[in-house]
Every structure is written in structure tokens, then in C-alpha cells.
């Protein structure tokens, strides 16, 4: 974490009114450094983009500019994204002495995040927000956005990387927990390529995606029933709708969260899943082609599998990617994602039925944005 003096100096390079006041850590992100900055009596979000994760932070900022301009051209969008605050020189980021990129964003007022979804209305709101987002970016050509994180959802690459690392360590050095995770992965190897193959064969198109629409990245109204904004737009880039829908569901339907306590039951909540899909289908359903719908179940199973691979790899690699509070967190998180996969597989018929119901409704074309 950066020192207060350093943070204040960086904040002063943006076009905000003095005085620069308090700077406090904000949110639960695992990658970037994020702060709530007070300046001129207003609150902002000050962020340092993690240069080890994002090889081209300037590309993130260029994408954000394109996305912001695209959304500003549309009317009644019913969803906000945080505005970028310019630097004193008129740019949209600054570099510190270590060449790290910092940016300043609007802090969306009167908004809150939810630790878990508690009511159907909240699940509907999440689905509606993601559907709106996809609907809004449908008219933004893919080519206008550069890749901020190449291979971000290339599950086969994550799988190979994990198996490669495992292959380089002696099996005697593995704990039984790690071995169980590896066995789990080996049993599901064919799953890894489900979406990549479909895209390569031309069955499903690349589209503009959010990349990381987990529950923490949705800002709700104070009553918790409406999603006002989607944040964390670093991974907005060409991808598959399935990545977003699968990632959103793996996060929202895991009511215990990404790091539950020992002995807690880890399950995939079907009622939340169905409500999210209903909201999504109403806001964006018409967008999805038949093949995209057919692959939704695979995506719901794949995204927690992929995140589990990533957590497990990071655990075995010394926790270099995801921030952890204590050693072992990444392993525990991998076990939780894999338990989620198992519960999704157990409920496969019901999840498939739910997808069929949500995406076969005659009212899909009805889209009204309050
Ligand atoms: C990371 O930094 P954060 O918390 O927004 C990760 C996502 C994971 C998520 C799991 C760029 O997101 O892919 O799904 O953790 N982002 C990146 O909580 O790797
Ligand atoms: Mg993120």
C-alpha cells in the first residue's frame, strides 16, 4: 500500500478543488489499490492500476474513454458508470515515480455494495443491470476496444499453466487438500475448452463484455433493490457473453461468498440464478443467438471452474496474483469454487430448465428502461 503523503501528491495532480483531505482504503478488490479521496469537500475514487496484472494500463484508460463516450451518446440508459476525472494537464491518468498508472474516478453517491443477495428483487436488479450493459454495448464495435488483459478468460491456458506448475513439483510435496483439487481438475479437463472451441468454430461471436461482473462490482441504491452503476471496467474488452453471465452467476449465487468459513455449506442458489436470468433476459435476451443460449449451462459450470484453477495456481505459485489476507486463502477459495462447480453439476437439469424458461418467453422483445 502507498504512503499517505504519496497518495496526496498523486491526488493533487488531478483537476480537483483543494484542499486534499482524507484518503482511505476502499472496497474489496483483489488486484488494484483503491482509495476514497476527499478533495474540495467531495469524494472521489483514486486507484492505482496493478501493472503486474495489466500489461498495458493505457489501453484500459483508452477503452474507458471510448466506452464513456459511447454511453453518453445513448439516451435513457438506466445504468451508470463512474466518470473519469481529468488530470491538470487534461489527460486521464498520471504516472508515479515507479511508472505506475493512477486514475481518479467519480464516486457514485448514495450507493452501496451488497455482501450477498438477500431478496429476489436484488437478483432481478443484477440481471437487469448486466443485460442493460450488454444491450448498451451491442452497438459498440469490438474493434474499437483494445485487449487490456489478453487471454483473460482463456480457460485452457489457465488449465495448462496449472498442470505445468503441478508437473514441476514432486507429488510427495502436495498436501492432501491440494491433491484433491488437482484430481477434481483432472476429472473435468474437457470442460475447459467448451467456450473457446465454440468461439473458434464460429458458433458464438465475440462481443464487448465487462469481464468481471461480480456482485462487488454492482452499486445498489441504498434500499438495495436497484443497481445504479456497474464499476471496475478494467476488463471491458472483446469477450463472450457467457463469460459475463457465468461470472455474475458464480458470484451472486454463491451465497457464502468467495471465502466462507470452515464447515459452511457451499451451494449454488437456484432461485437467485433464475431471478438473475429473468432480469437479464428481459433486458438483453433478444441479443442472444440460439447457440449462445445453448452454451449458457456450460458457462455457468465453467466460470467457477476457471476461477478455481486461477486461485489454485496462485496458491501453488506463492500468492503472487490475488491479494490474500493469510497464506492458504487462495487454496480455500479454489476449494470453494470447485464445491460450487459440484453443486452446479448436481442441479444441472434444474439450471438447464431455468435457462430454457427464461430465454423462451414471448416478452423478450419488451424492453423498457425507467
Ligand atoms: C479479481 O480485482 P477484482 O477483485 O476486481 C479478478 C477477477 C476475479 C475476481 C474474484 C483482473 O477481480 O477475474 O473473478 O478477482 N480480476 C482480474 O474475486 O484478474
Ligand atoms: Mg476486477
Amino acid at each position: 500500500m502507498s504512503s499517505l503523503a504519496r497518495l496526496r501528491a498523486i491526488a493533487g495532480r488531478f483537476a480537483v478543488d483543494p484542499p486534499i483531505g482524507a484518503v482511505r482504503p476502499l472496497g474489496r478488490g483483489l488486484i488494484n489499490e483503491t482509495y476514497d479521496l476527499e478533495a474540495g469537500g467531495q469524494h472521489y475514487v483514486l486507484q492505482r492500476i496493478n501493472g503486474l496484472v495489466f500489461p498495458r494500463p493505457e489501453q484500459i484508460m483508452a477503452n474507458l474513454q471510448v466506452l464513456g463516450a459511447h454511453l453518453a451518446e445513448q439516451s435513457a440508459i438506466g445504468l451508470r458508470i463512474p466518470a473519469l476525472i481529468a488530470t491538470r494537464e487534461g489527460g486521464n491518468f498520471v504516472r508515479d515515480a515507479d511508472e505506475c498508472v493512477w486514475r481518479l474516478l467519480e464516486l457514485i453517491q448514495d450507493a452501496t455494495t451488497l455482501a450477498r443477495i438477500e431478496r429476489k428483487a436484488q437478483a432481478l436488479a443484477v440481471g437487469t443491470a448486466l443485460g442493460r450493459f450488454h444491450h448498451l454495448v451491442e452497438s459498440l464495435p469490438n474493434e474499437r476496444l483494445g485487449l487490456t488483459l489478453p487471454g483473460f478468460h482463456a480457460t485452457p491456458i489457465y488449465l495448462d499453466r496449472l498442470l505445468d506448475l503441478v508437473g514441476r513439483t514432486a507429488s510427495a510435496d502436495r498436501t492432501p487438500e491440494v491433491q484433491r483439487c488437482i484430481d477434481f481438475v483432472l476429472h473435468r479437463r474437457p470442460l475447459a475448452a467448451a467456450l473457446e472451441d465454440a468461439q473458434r468454430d464460429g458458433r458464438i461471436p465475440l462481443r464487448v463484455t465487462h469481464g468481471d461482473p461480480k456482485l462487488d462490482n454492482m452499486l445498489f441504491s441504498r434500499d438495495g433493490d436497484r443497481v445504479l452503476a456497474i464499476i471496475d471496467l478494467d476488463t471491458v474488452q472483446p469477450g463472450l457473453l457467457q463469460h459475463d453471465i457465468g461470472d455474475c452467476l458464480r458470484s451472486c449465487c454463491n451465497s457464502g461468498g468467495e471465502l466462507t468459513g470452515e464447515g459452511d455449506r457451499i451451494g449454488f442458489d437456484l432461485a437467485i440464478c433464475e431471478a438473475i436470468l429473468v432480469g437479464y433476459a428481459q433486458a438483453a435476451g433478444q441479443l442472444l443467438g440460439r447457440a449462445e443460449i445453448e452454451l449458457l449451462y456450460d458457462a455457468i459450470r465453467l466460470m467457477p471452474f476457471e476461477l478455481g484453477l486461477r486461485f489454485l495456481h496462485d496458491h501453488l505459485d506463492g500468492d503472487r496474483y490475488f491479494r490474500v489476507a493469510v497464506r492458504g486463502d487462495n487454496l480455500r477459495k479454489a476449494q470453494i469454487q470447485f464445491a460450487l462447480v459440484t453443486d452446479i453439476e448436481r442441479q444441472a437439469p434444474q439450471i438447464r430448465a431455468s435457462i430454457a424458461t427464461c430465454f423462451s418467453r414471448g416478452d423478450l422483445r419488451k424492453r423498457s428502461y425507467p
Side-chain angles (χ1 to χ4, degrees):
M1 290 285 163
S2 306
S3 74
L4 188 58
R6 191 166 168 228
L7 291 169
R8 293 166 64 103
I10 288 162
R13 294 170 62 187
F14 288 89
V16 290
D17 290 336
I20 304 285
V23 193
R24 301 186 184 88
L26 179 69
R28 292 180 281 250
L30 301 175
I31 308 288
N32 294 330
E33 265 181 45
T34 308
Y35 302 91
D36 175 338
L37 164 78
E38 213 182 316
Q42 302 229 41
H43 287 265
Y44 301 91
V45 178
L46 179 66
Q47 265 191 327
R48 190 192 74 147
I49 300 178
N50 184 332
L52 294 175
V53 168
F54 294 103
R56 297 163 64 209
E58 323 74 33
Q59 185 64 63
I60 295 180
M61 300 314 293
N63 282 4
L64 285 183
Q65 203 78 48
V66 170
L67 180 69
H70 176 76
L71 296 186
E73 281 167 11
Q74 331 246 336
S75 58
I77 65 174
L79 188 69
R80 292 173 63 189
I81 62 168
L84 292 170
I85 312 294
T87 66
R88 297 208 176 276
E89 282 85 41
N92 59 18
F93 65 86
V94 300
R95 275 185 201 281
D96 64 16
D98 301 326
E99 291 294 305
C100 292
V101 167
W102 291 80
R103 66 180 169 207
L104 194 66
L105 300 159
E106 167 194 17
L107 183 99
I108 306 268
Q109 296 296 313
D110 297 319
T112 184
T113 52
L114 299 181
R116 64 178 55 86
I117 290 191
E118 263 142 19
R119 298 190 289 277
K120 188 178 168 193
Q122 295 168 342
L124 271 170
V126 165
T128 306
L130 187 61
R132 276 183 190 171
F133 182 82
H134 286 161
H135 167 64
L136 286 164
V137 294
E138 186 190 4
S139 50
L140 177 61
N142 253 323
E143 309 75 54
R144 305 252 341 258
L145 298 178
L147 280 181
T148 61
L149 209 44
F152 182 40
H153 285 304
T155 322
I157 294 179
Y158 289 126
L159 175 65
D160 288 350
R161 190 184 63 162
L162 172 70
L163 297 181
D164 185 56
L165 185 61
V166 168
R168 285 188 278 117
T169 57
S171 55
D173 293 344
R174 283 175 221 146
T175 63
E177 287 93 342
V178 168
Q179 189 57 52
R180 268 196 294 277
C181 283
I182 294 167
D183 292 342
F184 180 92
V185 168
L186 290 174
H187 274 103
R188 286 163 183 78
R189 278 177 93 151
L191 171 63
L195 295 179
E196 292 257 302
D197 284 354
Q199 194 251 318
R200 199 170 319 109
D201 300 350
R203 275 180 282 150
I204 50 174
L206 275 181
R207 298 177 183 271
V208 174
T209 54
H210 180 283
D212 188 13
K214 61 181 183 181
L215 185 58
D216 270 349
N217 289 337
M218 309 263 172
L219 297 189
F220 287 78
S221 54
R222 290 254 178 242
D223 64 10
D225 286 346
R226 275 178 312 126
V227 172
L228 305 176
I230 293 201
I231 59 167
D232 188 0
L233 304 158
D234 298 339
T235 46
V236 171
Q237 60 177 5
L240 301 173
L241 289 185
Q242 283 79 5
H243 296 148
D244 276 359
I245 298 171
D247 195 64
C248 183
L249 291 172
R250 70 106 198 126
S251 155
C252 295
C253 303
N254 172 10
S255 45
E258 279 178 22
L259 193 57
T260 45
E262 289 294 330
D264 287 347
R265 194 185 159 272
I266 296 141
F268 183 84
D269 190 316
L270 194 64
I272 294 179
C273 168
E274 177 141 341
I276 291 177
L277 290 177
V278 166
Y280 182 87
Q282 280 171 359
Q286 183 187 1
L287 207 107
L288 277 74
R290 183 195 292 271
E292 286 179 302
I293 295 170
E294 275 168 7
L295 279 163
L296 280 180
Y297 170 73
D298 286 332
I300 294 170
R301 189 171 162 237
L302 180 64
M303 296 314 288
F305 181 68
E306 178 186 285
L307 189 57
L309 294 178
R310 297 174 64 200
F311 283 143
L312 182 59
H313 176 273
D314 203 34
H315 173 75
L316 298 175
D317 198 33
D319 300 322
R320 294 194 295 167
Y321 186 98
F322 294 108
R323 191 175 299 133
V324 289
V326 292
R327 177 78 185 139
D329 273 2
N330 269 322
L331 174 60
R332 178 84 193 117
K333 286 182 170 185
Q335 291 171 316
I336 289 169
Q337 291 304 314
F338 293 151
L340 205 56
V341 173
T342 304
D343 203 43
I344 289 167
E345 290 167 352
R346 182 181 66 80
Q347 300 184 80
Q350 294 89 328
I351 297 172
R352 285 188 188 280
S354 192
I355 293 169
T357 317
C358 294
F359 288 90
S360 64
R361 293 199 175 142
D363 61 358
L364 283 186
R365 280 167 196 282
K366 197 172 66 197
R367 282 205 216 104
S368 58
Y369 299 153

